[in-house]
Amino acid sequence: MSESSYQFTRAITRKPAPNIVHGLRAEDIGDPDFDQMLQDHAHYVATLQQAGAAVTELTALDDFPDSTFVEDVALCLPELAILMRPGAPSRAGEVAQMAPVLRDLFERVVAIDGPGFIEGGDILVTSKQILVGRSERTDSAGIAELAEIVSYHGYSLHEVKTPAGILHFKTDCSLLDAETILATPRLDASGCFEGYRVIHTARGEEAAANSIRYNDLVLMPAGFPHTLARLQDAGYEVRAINNSECAKLDGGMSCLSLRF
Ligand code: CIR
């Protein structure tokens, strides 16, 4: 695995649909501004391209408000793509929309058949292992099914716990390089990153934890100056992208793409 956990050539994104204003959210802090969201999404795609990604931009899906958060419906590894089984009932149908796209791009595509549930936002692929957080959306049965699939390809999967009240495991962490994780202190306190170097988000800047490393760039949500400084001091090249509208739907940098 090693650097393949952040060295990529491709990405898949999906344009937000106007009905994204009906997207799921843990707490209602107002509907997203659709025009601002489109602008931010375009900036996100352009930044991935700047990082070297050939981006497959899928068209908006009017029937699926959360479908711009493509990360949750698949896991892309160098050897294969795995279709997830979302724990959110309104998102289950997004998988069938992604399946043909992945079948065009991967020789091997398999699906989590159930009965368990698992969403990509709960999966962190590092250089050493695949960490999967149990959450409201991802259960042990879903994780066990994924573990069986990836074990054939030599991956070791480790089940951890997404802290209560946090949507996905990666809401609170991201991979920065082969041995470094960016994480909130509350997630790091659970002990799941033993053996890694961990950089903490600054106090009050927990939402910065959902960033992504894509080749030489780290894409992080804008508005978190202290965490930004920590990453820059550690030598990372960071691009800040406005995420105010996706944040109203509990979405961030990782959710908006599949990277491989
Ligand atoms: C949801 O609740 O499913 C969406 N509103 C947000 C999904 C964010 N996805 C992610 O963190 N991977």
Side-chain angles (χ1 to χ4, degrees), residues 23-26 66 69 71-72 88 91 119-122 137 167-168 170-171 210 246 249-252 254-256:
L24 297 172
R25 65 207 76 181
D66 285 296
F69 304 118
E71 170 177 74
D72 295 319
R91 302 200 58 190
E119 295 191 356
D122 280 312
R137 303 282 184 86
L167 176 60
H168 286 127
K170 274 188 300 190
T171 304
N210 185 264
C246 280
L249 302 176
D250 310 318
S254 75
C255 340
L256 293 171

Side-chain angles (χ1 to χ4, degrees), residues 94-246:
E94 292 175 31
V95 178
Q97 303 289 330
M98 185 58 77
V101 179
L102 293 176
R103 291 204 176 97
D104 273 352
L105 292 165
F106 284 81
E107 268 177 36
R108 184 165 153 72
V109 179
V110 299
I112 299 288
D113 290 329
F117 295 99
I118 182 163
E119 295 191 356
D122 280 312
I123 305 174
L124 182 74
V125 179
T126 79
S127 55
K128 307 175 204 181
Q129 58 189 169
I130 300 179
L131 290 167
V132 189
R134 244 177 307 120
S135 72
E136 292 287 313
R137 303 282 184 86
T138 293
D139 60 20
S140 287
I143 298 173
E145 194 176 342
L146 178 65
E148 198 179 327
I149 294 168
V150 298
S151 70
Y152 286 115
H153 298 274
Y155 291 89
S156 105
L157 184 149
H158 190 53
E159 178 174 333
V160 292
K161 195 172 169 343
T162 301
I166 294 172
L167 176 60
H168 286 127
F169 185 62
K170 274 188 300 190
T171 304
D172 266 35
C173 66
S174 22
L175 183 83
L176 290 174
D177 61 35
E179 63 257 359
T180 315
I181 308 268
L182 171 67
T184 60
R186 68 186 168 205
L187 180 57
D188 189 24
S190 71
C192 59
F193 299 127
E194 211 176 300
Y196 294 92
R197 179 168 79 119
V198 180
I199 298 180
H200 284 165
T201 52
R203 189 190 297 270
E205 295 191 354
E206 288 73 16
N210 185 264
S211 293
I212 53 169
R213 172 81 189 265
Y214 194 106
N215 296 339
D216 292 341
L217 297 185
V218 175
L219 282 67
M220 83 176 277
F224 303 106
H226 302 289
T227 307
L228 172 66
R230 286 180 189 182
L231 296 192
Q232 287 173 331
D233 289 349
Y236 297 102
E237 192 175 342
V238 184
R239 294 284 185 278
I241 296 171
N242 185 58
N243 189 55
S244 54
E245 306 317 299
C246 280

Side-chain angles (χ1 to χ4, degrees), residues 8 10 44 71 76 170 212 214 253-254 257-260:
F8 307 112
R10 307 194 63 114
Y44 178 86
E71 170 177 74
C76 295
K170 274 188 300 190
I212 53 169
Y214 194 106
M253 296 294 108
S254 75
S257 61
L258 288 167
R259 305 160 292 278
F260 50 99

